[in-house]
Amino acid sequence: LKTTKNHLRHVDSMSTLPSRAGKITGLNAVILGEALASEEDDLVFPNDEFVRQALVPSPKKYLEMYKRSIEDPAGFWSDVASQFYWKRRWAESVVSENFDVRNGSVKIEWFKGGITNICYNCLDRNVESGNADKIAIYWEPNEPGSQDSLTYSQLLQRVCQLANYLKDKGVRKGDAIVIYLPMLMELPIAMLACARIGAVHSVVFAGFSADSLAQRIVDCKPKVVITCNAVKRGSKVIPLKDIVDASLIESAKNGVSVDVCLTYENESAMKRESTKWQVGRDVWWQDVVPKYPTTCEVEWVDAEDPLFLLYTSGSTGKPKGVLHTTGGYMVYTATTFKYAFDYKPSDIYWCTADCGWITGHSYVTYGPMLNGATVVIFEGAPNYPDPGRSWDIVDKFKVTIFYTAPTLVRSLMRDGDEYVTRYSRKSLRVLGSVGEPINPSAWRWFFNVVGDSRCPISDTWWQTETGGFMITPLPGAWPQKPGSATFPFFGVQPVIVDEKGAEIEGECSGYLCVKSSWPGAFRTLYGDHERYETTYFKPFPGYYFSGDGCSRDKDGYYWLTGRVDDVINVSGHRIGTAEVESALVSHPQCAEAAVVGFEHEVKGQGIYAFVTLVDGVPYSEELRKSLILTVRNQIGAFAAPDKIHWAPGLPKTRSGKIMRRILRKIASRQLDELGDTSTLADPSVVEQLIELADR
Ligand code: WTA
C-alpha cells in the first residue's frame, strides 16, 4: 500500500520517464478506496454527486491529462489554444524557452507568431456563439438594496465606446494606460478596452497612496490615467481623484506629465460639483465615452505582445513591474479557471479579489470571461452593513462558485456562525481560497459552515508572476487535505530544492521552484530583464524560484509554508520589508528601522517594525502614530505597521548586517529561542529590546 501511495508524489519525474508510467495506475484504486480514509491522514473526499458531474472526476483522469501535458506540452496546449479565436495560427513551435540562466538570457515564448486578441476572445467570441444576452457582470454596490448588470453584448458595446475614445486620444498599440479604479464595472471595462486596442494596462490597486501611484506612473509613462472621483467602502468615502491629483503633481516633478485624466463620476460616493478639477486635463467619463460608437475594430496582436503590467513587491528595492503577454496568458487563465473551479456554463461566479491585484486580473476579468462566465463584482466591504453581507450577496445572485482569501474567512469566522447560517447558501457548489496558506481550522470552518460540508475547496497556490494557478485541487478529482494546495496543474512541474539548489525527491521540505515554463508565466520585469533573471532564475539555476517554502508529504501533497524571503504577506497582500523600512526612515525623527512579519490571527501576517529614533528624540504615542501615518502615505493603508517597537539599537553582526532572525523571534515573543547572539557586534542590544517589548 505504502509504495503505491508514494507514486503520486513522483508524478512529475515519472512523466518525464514514461517507462515508469505504468506504476501510476495502481494509485487510483488506493486513493479512492477505503484504505486512505481510515488512515490518520486528514482526507476530505468530494461527495459522489459532485464527482459524477466533475470535469475531472478521478485521479486517473487527472494523471492521464497531467502526463500528457508534461510529455507533450506542445500538443496539450495547442489543443487547448485551438478553442480560441486566432486571426492567424502560431508558428510551428508552440513553446520556445531558455529557462536556464547558465545558457544565456532567460526567454519564454508561447504561440509566437499567433495573431489574436484577448478582448475579442472574452467578448465578441461569446456574443457570436449565442451568449449575447447572458449576464457577463452582476454589480453589487456598496449600499445594499440595488444592483446593476451587463450582458455580454452590452459589455462589448461599453468596451468598444471606451476603446474608441482612447483611440481618439491618440492611444495606440503598445502605449501604456494607468487604471486607478475601485470595483466598479468600469474597471474590467477599462482593462478590456485597453486589450482591444493593444494598449498595455497597468492597474494600480485603489488602496495605494499617491506616492505609490506616482511611482508606477513614472515607470510606464501612460498617455491616459483612468480613475473615478471617489468610492464609498462601508461608511467611509475615499476621494480617489484627490489622490490621483497629488500623484500627477509628483509624477510631473519626475518629468512625466499625463495629458488626460479620464474620471468616472461615482455619484453615490461624491457629486461632480464637489470634485477638484483641472480644466484641460480632466475629463468626465460620462460626458465623453457614451458619445462614441458601440463597435470598435480589434487591434490584432502577436501572442507575445504585452497585455499588462502589474507591480508587485520583492524583498529589495522598488516594486517590480511584472509583464504578461497575450496568447499564453489567455490560454492559461481560461484553462486554470475552468478546471480548478469545475466551471459549468450555468455557474454564477464571485471572486472577492480586487482587480488591482493579480487575482482580479486573471480570475475576475480574463479567466472567467474567456469562459463566458457570469461574474459578480462587489464595490463594498464584506462587513458592511454587517458580517453577513457576503452570504446576502451569495443568495441574491445565487452564486455557485465563491473564491476568496483566508484572511476574510478568518475574520468572518470570528464574527460568528449566525451571520452565515441565517442565509441559505444552497446555490454554492465550489469554494476557493488564495493569497496565503489557509490554516486547517479556517479551512474546516469554510468547508463545514459556509459550504455545509458539501463544497470542495480549491486552495489555489500561484503568484502575480505565474499568471494563473500552479498548484491547486481539481474539485472532484481527489480527496483534499485541509491546508494543502494538493497537486500541480496541467503543465506545471514543481520541484522542491535544498539550499544548494539540488532537487529533493519524495517526502521533504525546501524551496519551491518550477522546472520549465508554462503558458501563463511572466516574460520579464518591465524595463529590467536583469532583475528578472537575478530574482527568479539565478538563485537556483535551471529553475524558476517562487520565493516560497514548501513541503511535500508522504502522499505527494504539496503544503505551502510561506515566503522565505523578506516579503510579508499581510491579508494576502505582498509587502516588501524594505519598502516599509524606507518609508519609516523617511520620517525626520526615525534614524533606522527594521521590519519583520509576525503571526496575526486575522491577517495571517502582520507588520512589526523596530524603530531607532534620532538621538535625543523621546518615545511618544504621537510619534508612533506619525510613523504609521508616514507608511500609509507612502505606500497605502494596507501596509501600515501593526506594531512599532522602540529600539535603542538593532542587533547587527560585526559587519553591520541586521540579524532579522533575532528580530523575528522577539516579534513573536519566542524569547527563549533567540539562539546564538554572541556573534553580534553588541549583544546587549537584545536585552534592551526585550525590556522595551511591550512599551
Ligand atoms: C502566497 C497572489 C499558500 C505565496 C495570487 C505566494 C499562497 C504569494 C497561496 C503570491 C496559497 C498565494 N497557499 N500561499 N493558496 N496563494 N500564496 O503575487 O507566498 O499577490 O508567493 O499572488 O502569495 O502573492 P501574489
Side-chain angles (χ1 to χ4, degrees), residues 337 340-341 349-353 359-360 362-364 399-405 408-409 428 430-435 446 458-462 468-469 472:
F337 173 80
F341 294 130
Y349 166 80
W350 179 23
C351 165
T352 64
T359 308
S362 303
Y363 301 108
V364 173
V399 170
T400 58
I401 306 173
F402 177 70
Y403 184 34
T404 194
L408 183 72
V409 174
L428 288 174
V430 178
L431 302 173
S433 170
V434 60
F446 199 24
S458 282
D459 173 7
T460 60
W461 176 80
W462 61 297
F469 306 151
T472 176

Side-chain angles (χ1 to χ4, degrees), residues 398-419:
K398 308 246 175 328
V399 170
T400 58
I401 306 173
F402 177 70
Y403 184 34
T404 194
T407 183
L408 183 72
V409 174
R410 286 190 296 262
S411 112
L412 295 177
M413 186 172 149
R414 253 198 357 188
D415 291 322
D417 296 5
E418 328 65 85
Y419 284 110

Side-chain angles (χ1 to χ4, degrees), residues 22 127 133 161 189 303 364 373-374 383 388 416 437 486 502 539 585 621 624 665 688:
V127 167
D133 297 328
Q161 288 182 316
I189 289 174
V364 173
T374 297
N383 54 4
T486 71
V585 297
E621 258 334 284
R624 204 190 291 267
K665 293 287 179 203
Q688 291 173 346

Side-chain angles (χ1 to χ4, degrees), residues 312 357-359 403 406 433-438 458-466 471 483 485 546-549 559-563 567 569 572-574:
T312 190
W357 309 106
I358 190 68
T359 308
Y403 184 34
S433 170
V434 60
E436 46 166 321
I438 180 162
S458 282
D459 173 7
T460 60
W461 176 80
W462 61 297
Q463 309 179 292
T464 305
E465 293 87 341
T466 69
I471 301 182
S546 66
D548 278 346
W559 299 78
L560 279 300
T561 52
R563 302 286 308 191
V567 171
N569 190 329
H573 301 147
R574 273 160 75 168

Side-chain angles (χ1 to χ4, degrees), residues 391 416-425 449 452:
W391 322 118
D417 296 5
E418 328 65 85
Y419 284 110
V420 186
T421 51
R422 80 165 67 131
Y423 296 93
S424 142
R425 294 158 287 110
V449 180
D452 285 330

Side-chain angles (χ1 to χ4, degrees), residues 11 102 122 196 203 219 237 246 341 360 439 455 464 484 508 512 563 570 595 640:
V11 120
R102 292 165 302 192
C122 286
R196 190 166 193 87
V203 181
D219 202 42
V237 175
F341 294 130
N439 44 309
C455 314
T464 305
S484 162
C508 65
L512 181 61
R563 302 286 308 191
V570 181
V595 167

Side-chain angles (χ1 to χ4, degrees), residues 195-262:
R196 190 166 193 87
I197 60 174
V200 181
H201 57 73
S202 167
V203 181
V204 180
F205 171 60
F208 274 110
S209 67
D211 282 0
S212 294
L213 176 58
Q215 216 174 61
R216 286 152 176 80
I217 290 173
V218 169
D219 202 42
C220 74
K221 306 176 185 56
K223 279 225 165 111
V224 176
V225 172
I226 304 178
T227 187
C228 72
N229 54 348
V231 65
K232 232 180 130 191
R233 264 183 77 81
S235 48
K236 236 172 60 195
V237 175
I238 304 151
L240 293 182
K241 175 68 163 46
D242 289 353
I243 298 173
V244 174
D245 287 349
S247 79
L248 290 175
I249 292 172
E250 186 62 29
S251 316
K253 282 191 206 149
N254 288 286
V256 175
S257 63
V258 174
D259 299 337
V260 183
C261 177
L262 182 67

